[in-house]
């Protein structure tokens, strides 16, 4: 019945360019760039200026060829299908000289029937891959009725044009944080499937809660490709829940979908986001005709996106309710892990997701300019309790709506929803990144007369096609048309709102590089902050892998070349200079290292201030705005070694921002702001009753100048509570010797018994650049002892104390911290075997006062 043979065609193929001047052995799955590098034909494409030097690779056409034979017992079967899980991107495929099909979308699986084409002896399979750059350009030029902007990326990105005309990772033609490597290749597996009666194309599982009967069931969908009509049995079971059922199956030729519902007869343990409970995953076995069956993970959780009126606030709320509980989303945005997707390993993904969870994150947004991630990414998120906001792959552009483009997108969306909908981690689908905003705020200079045409195309693509398919395929989670959006308000306004950034509705993206980021009053008091951030440079140990010492200068060609965001390097230094004295070492390499450090200090401090503002706004309505219920800063990871908004460098090393995220995303947080001359301290918590400890420290001594304790306050469960308010001038007077410039305020939450239950926090009363009494702390370490503890000693209080062990992978338990005691011990957790000697030899310690 379901017996079908699978012959893998992965492994060694031959690769050749268009004029046969390059011919070499290639690995499939893979891509042309990786092959050329592995065979020594080119060096590391990420090295220095190689993205420009190797542009020719993407402008050529390439051919992959393999030979394979088919066992006799297989050839006799009824139907043969070649399955390509993913071709990047535009190709013509032939078997034994006969064209069997074409591809034009890297996000789709393609099945080509080859019954009758297979030979007894060797079969020749050839995949001719066309330059994506050429194809996109041709498609754009053929679209003569009206333009579909943008034509090209900004010159600073050194990218290729018309990426919106090809269904390929949009960032592969360049982005403001990444290189232009328009890859070509067979990026996922290839196999031959041969069968007599039928084969299963895919499975999906959808747990659904029946509120009327307070019980759960699991809907299982099976997608078949049927050659000969047949009957059979489907057996479903979840052994741990003692639930099983058997169903009759009747299949007619063609493609068909069969749905079965397994009723559960006992209570289940729910799946919760990280920090809110366990992540229970049950095994579900699907067995067709008692042939052993397949086992899948299934989890029970409900998700709702709540958009409803809020007392004393115009507009609507925007928050996620998981299993009936409002959850504040704490996290970041995920971009592609590598420009060459075949080089992304499970280890790379695991390190990034573990790093997110260690930083107390419970959510990531898979951003719409990259790729739908590989299966292991979603499976790990299921295990780690990381909720996924899943964009469809459209970003920062308008798109064509020709019939064949819409058709390939429909197939892409159908396949991706079926592939991903069984994962409990996926909590929302979103149609695109910033395209509603692009039309609404006229990024592309479209005339008033032409605007309706573009709105019509927008609605056609994202509403009448993508949304339509998603609602049809998946009734278990919400769908948003864009991000940022006003949600149901955008829908009311014909899907393109007047102001998609309106903080009274939906989510917002907010960036401002020249305004002082310490001024929290400039931030939008939004319902949900799905993008915001600041750039920094990665550490020298990360950059040195792709540069030479003459590049290690902020005014070098390399520093300009690597920066893909207009004025980015200037913006970082200007923002830093508002609060810090810029590095002035006479040793150029030391000055470069210190400048990297100061950009990371600036980034960490800016994102901390903004995130804490959003977290303590969760219970506030001020001037009609507030009830913020999510923060996803831009961005978690890097695609290469260069300046960006990331908190984790390419290779997995944590920037200062990532260390700080573990604190500003802590389950219980104390956050301080200055407002109209008062110091306000908020407790943000799930449910606790705390007291608050506030200390003032002078920069010139280790002893607290004075210490205050607030009364015990019950902090709102799942909310934020003002726990301390005091006039700053009165506080300084009361403390005797303190001025804004000579003292810093440190604070934390403790239990009534005096136990610390929030991370230590602090607030500057003036910029560190004007600090009085801040001296060089002369930090020394007593060497690394067994288990990798580092004990630091200093002569004076030190701010932004940073430990760096170059290329030794791992992270410290704290870093970038305020050192208010003579001695402090820090633990290094290594991700590979290392020794105390190796760590000691590579350890650099920096604090703010050491860079000037």
């Amino acid at each position: 019945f379901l017996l079908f043979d699978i012959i893998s065609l992965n492994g060694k193929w031959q690769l050749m360019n268009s004029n046969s001047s390059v011919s070499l052995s290639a690995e499939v799955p893979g891509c042309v760039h990786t092959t050329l590098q592995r065979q020594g034909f080119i060096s590391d494409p990420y090295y220095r200026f190689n993205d420009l030097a190797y542009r020719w690779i993407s402008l050529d056409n390439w051919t992959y060829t393999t030979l394979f034979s088919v066992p006799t017992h297989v050839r006799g079967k009824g139907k043969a299908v070649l399955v390509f899980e993913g071709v990047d991107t535009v190709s013509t495929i032939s078997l034994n000289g006969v064209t069997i099909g074409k591809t034009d979308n890297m996000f789709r699986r393609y099945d080509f029937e080859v019954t009758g084409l297979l030979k007894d002896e060797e079969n020749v399979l050839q995949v001719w891959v066309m330059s994506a750059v050429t194809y996109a350009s041709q498609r754009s030029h053929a679209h003569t009725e009206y333009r579909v902007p943008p034509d090209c990326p900004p010159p600073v990105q050194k990218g290729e044009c018309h990426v919106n005309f090809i269904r390929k990772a949009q960032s592969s033609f360049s982005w403001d944080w990444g290189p232009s490597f328009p890859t070509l290749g067979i990026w996922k597996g290839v196999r031959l499937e041969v069968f007599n009666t039928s084969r299963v194309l895919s499975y999906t599982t959808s747990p659904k809660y029946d509120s009327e009967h307070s019980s759960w069931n699991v809907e299982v969908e099976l997608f078949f490709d049927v050659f000969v009509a047949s009957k059979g049995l489907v057996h479903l079971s979840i052994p741990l829940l003692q639930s099983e059922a058997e169903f009759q199956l009747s299949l007619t030729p063609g493609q068909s979908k069969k749905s079965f519902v397994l009723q559960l007869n006992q209570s289940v343990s729910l799946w919760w986001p990280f920090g809110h409970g366990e992540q229970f995953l049950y095994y579900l076995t699907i067995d067709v005709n008692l042939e052993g069956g397949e086992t899948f993970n299934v989890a029970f959780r409900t998700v709702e996106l709540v958009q409803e009126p809020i007392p004393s606030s115009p507009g609507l709320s925007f928050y996620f309710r998981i299993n009936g509980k409002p959850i504040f989303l704490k996290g970041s945005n995920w971009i592609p892990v590598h420009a060459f997707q075949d080089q992304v390993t499970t280890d790379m993904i695991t390190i990034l997701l573990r790093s997110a969870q260690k930083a107390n994150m419970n959510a990531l947004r898979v951003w719409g300019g990259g790729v739908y991630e590989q299966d292991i990414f979603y499976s790990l998120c299921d295990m780690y309790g990381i909720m996924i906001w899943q964009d469809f792959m459209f970003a920062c552009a308008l798109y064509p709506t020709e019939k064949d483009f819409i058709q390939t997108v429909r197939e892409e969306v159908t396949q991706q929803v079926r592939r991903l909908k069984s994962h409990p981690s996926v909590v929302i689908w979103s149609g695109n990144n910033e395209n509603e905003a692009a039309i609404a705020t006229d990024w592309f200079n479209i005339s008033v007369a032409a605007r309706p045409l573009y709105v019509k195309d927008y609605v056609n693509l994202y509403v009448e096609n993508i949304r339509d398919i998603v609602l049809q395929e998946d009734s278990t989670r919400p769908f948003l048309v864009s991000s940022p959006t006003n949600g149901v308000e955008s829908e009311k306004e014909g899907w393109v709102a007047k102001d998609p950034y309106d903080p009274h509705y939906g989510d917002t993206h907010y960036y401002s590089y020249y305004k002082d980021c310490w001024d929290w009053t400039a931030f939008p008091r939004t319902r949900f902050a799905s993008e915001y951030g600041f750039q920094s440079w990665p550490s020298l140990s990360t950059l040195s892998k792709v540069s030479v010492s003459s590049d290690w200068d902020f005014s070098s060609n390399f520093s300009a070349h690597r920066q893909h965001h207009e004025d980015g390097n200037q913006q970082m230094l200007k923002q830093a200079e508002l609060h810090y004295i810029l590095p002035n070492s006479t040793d150029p390499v030391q000055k470069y290292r210190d400048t990297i450090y100061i950009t990371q200090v600036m980034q960490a401090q800016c994102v901390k201030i903004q995130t804490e503002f959003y977290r303590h706004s969760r219970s506030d309505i001020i001037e009609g705005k507030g009830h913020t219920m999510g923060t996803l800063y831009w961005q978690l990871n890097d695609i290469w070694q260069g300046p960006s908004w990331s908190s984790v460098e390419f290779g997995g090393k944590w920037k200062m921002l990532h260390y700080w995220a573990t604190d500003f995303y802590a389950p219980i947080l104390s956050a301080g702001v200055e407002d109209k001359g008062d110091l306000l301290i908020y407790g943000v918590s799930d449910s606790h009753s705390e007291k608050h400890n506030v200390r003032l420290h002078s920069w010139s001594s280790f002893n607290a100048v004075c210490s205050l304790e607030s009364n015990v306050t019950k902090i709102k469960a799942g909310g934020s509570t003002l726990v301390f308010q005091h006039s700053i001038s009165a506080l300084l007077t009361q403390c005797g010797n303190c001025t804004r410039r000579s003292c810093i305020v440190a604070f934390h939450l403790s239990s009534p018994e005096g136990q610390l239950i929030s991370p230590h926090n602090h607030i500057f009363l003036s910029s560190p650049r004007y600090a009085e009494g801040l001296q060089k702390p002369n930090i020394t370490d007593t060497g690394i002892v067994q288990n990798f503890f580092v004990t630091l000693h200093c002569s004076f209080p030190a701010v932004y104390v940073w430990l760096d062990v170059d290329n030794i992978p791992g992270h410290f338990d704290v870093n970038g911290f305020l050192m208010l005691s003579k001695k402090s011990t820090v633990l290094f957790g290594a991700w590979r075997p290392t020794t105390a000697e190796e760590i000691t030899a590579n350890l650099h310690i920096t604090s703010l006062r050491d860079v000037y």
Side-chain angles (χ1 to χ4, degrees):
F1 173 73
L2 264 185
L3 282 176
F4 58 99
D5 287 273
I6 298 178
I7 297 168
S8 171
L9 300 180
N10 295 345
K12 289 264 176 284
W13 290 48
Q14 276 301 116
L15 176 64
M16 196 182 280
N17 70 339
S18 55
N19 68 6
S20 311
S21 59
V22 181
S23 174
L24 19 93
S25 164
E27 201 62 39
V28 168
C31 76
V32 174
H33 289 81
T34 302
T35 301
L36 294 176
Q37 187 188 350
R38 292 215 173 122
Q39 299 285 346
F41 201 89
I42 59 171
S43 60
D44 180 359
Y46 281 5
Y47 184 71
R48 299 194 76 211
F49 306 93
N50 279 351
D51 53 323
L52 299 184
Y54 296 154
R55 211 181 141 220
W56 63 272
I57 297 167
S58 301
L59 299 178
D60 206 344
N61 303 322
W62 297 80
T63 303
Y64 280 85
T65 309
T66 190
L67 304 176
F68 67 95
S69 54
V70 182
T72 322
H73 78 275
V74 170
R75 267 201 318 280
K77 291 203 169 165
K79 186 174 176 181
V81 179
L82 265 175
V83 179
F84 285 82
E85 287 289 351
V87 179
D88 180 14
T89 290
V90 179
S91 77
T92 301
I93 301 170
S94 68
L95 178 63
N96 299 325
V98 178
T99 299
I100 55 170
K102 294 176 183 297
T103 72
D104 62 6
N105 187 331
M106 79 178 273
F107 306 124
R108 275 179 62 177
R109 157 181 162 161
Y110 285 86
D111 289 29
F112 301 111
E113 190 178 338
V114 293
T115 315
L117 289 178
L118 294 171
K119 291 186 175 169
D120 288 355
E121 63 290 346
E122 274 188 337
N123 292 275
V124 182
L125 178 59
Q126 204 162 57
V127 180
W128 176 79
V129 187
M130 181 183 182
S131 159
V133 177
T134 309
Y135 174 84
S137 170
Q138 287 176 3
R139 288 294 301 224
S140 164
H141 289 128
H143 194 287
T144 49
E145 285 169 66
Y146 55 94
R147 67 190 188 103
V148 184
D151 290 334
C152 299
V156 69
Q157 288 181 20
K158 299 164 268 288
E160 303 292 356
C161 302
H162 308 298
V163 71
N164 47 343
F165 277 87
I166 182 168
R167 291 312 296 143
K168 175 172 174 60
Q170 299 291 279
S171 59
S172 65
F173 278 38
S174 82
W175 214 261
D176 57 6
W177 37 252
S180 174
F181 284 114
T183 45
L184 314 97
I186 302 172
W187 74 298
K188 295 199 171 182
V190 186
R191 63 183 182 273
L192 178 69
E193 295 189 353
V194 189
F195 57 101
N196 278 331
T197 51
S198 60
R199 62 180 177 138
V200 179
L201 297 170
S202 61
Y203 304 85
T204 72
T205 60
S206 302
K208 293 181 179 173
Y209 185 66
D210 176 354
S211 47
E212 203 178 310
H213 299 100
S214 306
S215 67
W216 285 88
N217 60 57
V218 182
E219 183 188 11
V220 174
E221 292 170 315
L222 299 172
F223 297 89
F224 292 97
D225 175 12
V226 183
F227 186 48
V228 175
S230 50
K231 289 189 167 18
L233 289 176
V234 173
H235 185 261
L236 306 178
S237 69
I238 302 178
L240 258 181
L241 294 173
Q242 281 121 45
S243 299
E244 57 181 329
E246 204 162 70
F247 304 91
Q248 296 294 320
L249 180 64
S250 176
L251 298 173
T252 51
Q255 302 227 337
S256 67
K257 171 179 109 172
K258 299 290 176 189
S259 296
F260 308 100
V261 176
L262 175 61
Q263 298 289 348
L264 303 186
N265 40 28
Q266 66 179 70
S267 64
V268 302
S269 295
L270 298 175
W271 183 95
W272 287 97
F274 178 67
H276 292 272
E278 297 290 315
Q279 290 77 48
F280 277 100
L281 297 170
Y282 291 91
Y283 286 132
L284 163 74
T285 304
I286 303 173
D287 193 346
V288 182
N289 269 21
L290 306 177
E291 280 161 13
E294 298 249 3
T295 301
F296 300 87
N297 276 335
V298 60
F300 299 94
R301 65 108 186 88
T302 59
V303 55
E304 303 153 90
L305 176 58
V306 183
Q307 300 179 74
E308 55 193 24
I310 299 176
S312 67
S313 174
L316 298 170
S317 67
F318 187 93
Y319 69 89
F320 289 87
R321 207 155 47 200
I322 306 290
N323 301 328
K325 177 183 175 182
I327 303 278
F328 188 106
L329 269 63
K330 302 181 297 189
S332 187
N333 285 266
W334 176 279
I335 65 160
V337 177
H338 204 294
F340 310 119
Q341 280 290 310
D342 54 295
Q343 294 186 34
V344 178
T345 63
T346 298
D347 270 4
M348 288 177 184
I349 291 174
T350 306
I351 283 172
L352 287 168
L353 292 176
R354 288 283 291 133
S355 295
Q357 195 200 51
K358 279 176 191 281
N360 288 309
M361 294 185 187
N362 62 21
L364 291 170
R365 171 172 172 248
V366 176
W367 167 79
V371 296
Y372 304 96
E373 269 307 330
Q374 43 186 279
D375 293 341
I376 188 69
F377 169 87
Y378 299 96
S379 297
L380 287 170
C381 289
D382 294 343
M383 285 164 55
Y384 295 159
I386 296 173
M387 294 177 280
I388 296 301
W389 173 313
Q390 178 67 54
D391 280 3
F392 287 96
M393 294 300 129
F394 301 86
C396 301
L398 305 182
Y399 287 85
T401 53
E402 287 110 320
K403 207 169 160 193
D404 61 341
F405 187 86
I406 292 284
Q407 202 39 58
T408 198
V409 166
R410 287 184 68 87
E411 188 56 41
E412 162 193 333
V413 171
T414 304
Q415 288 185 16
Q416 293 297 344
V417 173
R418 287 179 187 173
R419 180 173 74 97
L420 302 179
K421 69 181 261 196
S422 304
H423 290 280
S425 53
V426 179
V427 294
I428 186 168
W429 307 108
S430 179
N432 66 70
N433 174 71
E434 298 184 349
N435 300 348
E436 178 185 345
I439 296 176
T441 58
D442 196 21
W443 292 7
F444 306 123
N445 304 319
I446 289 164
S447 69
V448 177
R451 193 170 179 269
L453 170 69
Y454 291 98
V455 172
K456 181 171 170 285
D457 276 359
Y458 177 90
V459 172
N460 178 7
L461 178 57
Y462 302 111
V463 182
E464 292 161 3
N465 281 288
I466 296 176
R467 178 174 179 269
D468 214 43
I469 291 170
V470 175
L471 297 184
Q472 204 174 299
E473 291 287 334
D474 180 20
S475 61
T476 67
R477 46 175 76 73
F479 175 88
L480 275 180
V481 176
S482 186
S483 174
T485 181
N486 292 347
V488 293
E489 177 59 26
S490 287
E491 185 176 345
K492 262 192 207 147
E493 294 179 38
W495 303 103
V496 177
K498 197 157 115 305
D499 175 18
Y501 297 99
D502 186 340
H504 297 94
Y505 298 96
D507 65 325
T508 57
H509 296 185
Y510 177 82
Y511 296 97
S512 175
Y513 306 111
Y514 288 115
K515 277 189 197 147
D516 180 357
C517 79
W518 287 31
D519 176 14
W520 57 271
T521 62
F523 302 135
R525 203 179 278 275
T526 174
R527 307 290 193 213
F528 195 105
S530 47
E531 274 192 34
Y532 59 98
F534 293 85
Q535 278 199 325
S536 68
W537 275 82
S539 54
L540 185 56
S541 62
T542 295
L543 288 165
S544 61
K545 294 182 179 70
V546 291
S547 59
V548 294
S549 55
S550 59
D551 297 328
W552 301 343
D553 184 313
F554 246 54
S555 52
S556 70
N557 287 341
F558 174 79
S559 293
H561 175 75
R562 222 66 180 181
Q563 175 58 268
H564 282 199
H565 167 61
E566 196 68 60
D567 295 330
N569 292 343
Q570 266 37 63
Q571 287 168 356
M572 281 185 259
L573 295 181
K574 284 268 186 292
Q575 184 63 247
E577 208 172 16
L578 294 173
H579 301 288
Y580 313 112
I581 293 168
L582 294 184
N584 57 12
S585 170
T586 50
D587 171 354
V589 175
Q590 190 56 49
K591 185 179 177 186
Y592 185 65
R593 206 184 255 284
D594 291 345
T595 306
I596 289 170
Y597 163 83
I598 210 75
T599 68
Q600 291 203 16
V601 165
M602 174 278 293
Q603 178 196 36
Q605 187 71 54
C606 287
V607 176
K608 169 191 194 277
I609 290 170
Q610 196 165 355
T611 307
E612 288 185 347
F613 164 70
Y614 292 139
R615 281 198 73 187
H616 75 67
S617 296
R618 83 177 272 176
S619 300
D620 292 352
I621 293 291
I622 291 169
E623 293 168 358
K625 297 195 281 278
H627 273 222
T628 307
M629 281 299 285
T631 51
L632 306 173
Y633 66 74
W634 185 268
Q635 66 203 64
L636 178 72
N637 58 314
D638 265 333
I639 196 167
W640 72 337
Q641 308 91 337
S644 83
W645 294 256
S646 76
S647 64
V648 179
E649 302 177 3
F650 181 80
K653 187 171 181 174
W654 291 15
K655 290 181 178 176
M656 194 178 293
L657 169 57
H658 205 80
Y659 284 101
W660 284 28
T662 62
D663 284 350
F664 64 61
Y665 278 154
I668 301 163
L669 169 74
S670 55
V673 291
E674 185 180 329
D675 193 13
K676 304 183 183 77
D678 279 2
L679 171 63
L680 309 181
I681 296 176
Y682 290 87
V684 184
S685 168
D686 291 333
S687 63
H688 273 277
S689 121
E690 332 300 349
K691 61 182 179 181
H692 212 265
N693 180 291
V694 179
R695 298 185 321 283
L696 267 74
H697 279 263
S698 151
W699 285 125
S700 52
S701 132
F702 287 112
N703 301 327
V705 181
C706 69
S707 186
L708 302 163
E709 278 198 0
S710 67
N711 297 329
V712 174
T713 317
K714 179 76 178 159
I715 292 179
K716 203 179 294 173
S720 107
T721 308
L722 183 62
V723 292
F724 181 89
Q725 179 163 12
H726 213 294
S727 144
I728 290 173
S729 54
L731 195 59
L732 293 171
T733 311
Q734 190 180 334
C735 277
N737 303 341
C738 269
T739 67
R740 279 178 169 273
R741 293 185 173 191
S742 68
C743 287
I744 182 170
V745 182
F747 51 88
H748 64 262
L749 290 167
S750 56
S751 68
E753 299 74 48
Q755 278 214 287
L756 180 76
I757 51 167
S758 76
H760 286 285
N761 208 342
H762 58 268
I763 184 168
F764 297 102
L765 299 177
S766 80
S767 295
R769 68 172 297 136
Y770 303 121
E772 288 167 4
L774 184 61
Q775 311 190 42
K776 284 197 188 283
N778 309 315
I779 302 174
T780 55
D781 69 274
T782 51
I784 313 288
V785 294
Q786 253 8 66
N787 306 337
F788 312 142
F789 282 99
V790 192
T791 301
L792 306 177
H793 297 268
C794 63
S795 328
F796 293 99
V799 64
Y800 305 119
V801 177
W802 181 244
L803 288 79
D804 185 333
V805 287
D806 283 346
N807 284 317
I808 305 171
H811 62 87
F812 292 93
D813 62 338
V814 289
N815 213 346
F817 56 94
L818 176 65
M819 191 164 166
L820 292 175
S821 55
K822 285 182 183 169
K823 188 175 124 177
S824 190
T825 302
V826 179
L827 171 67
F828 181 71
W831 295 342
R832 67 153 167 81
T834 179
T835 61
E837 293 70 34
E838 187 190 16
I839 296 172
T840 305
N842 285 279
L843 180 65
H844 305 264
I845 303 167
T846 311
S847 79
L848 186 65
R849 226 11 223 97
D850 298 324
V851 305
Y852 63 89

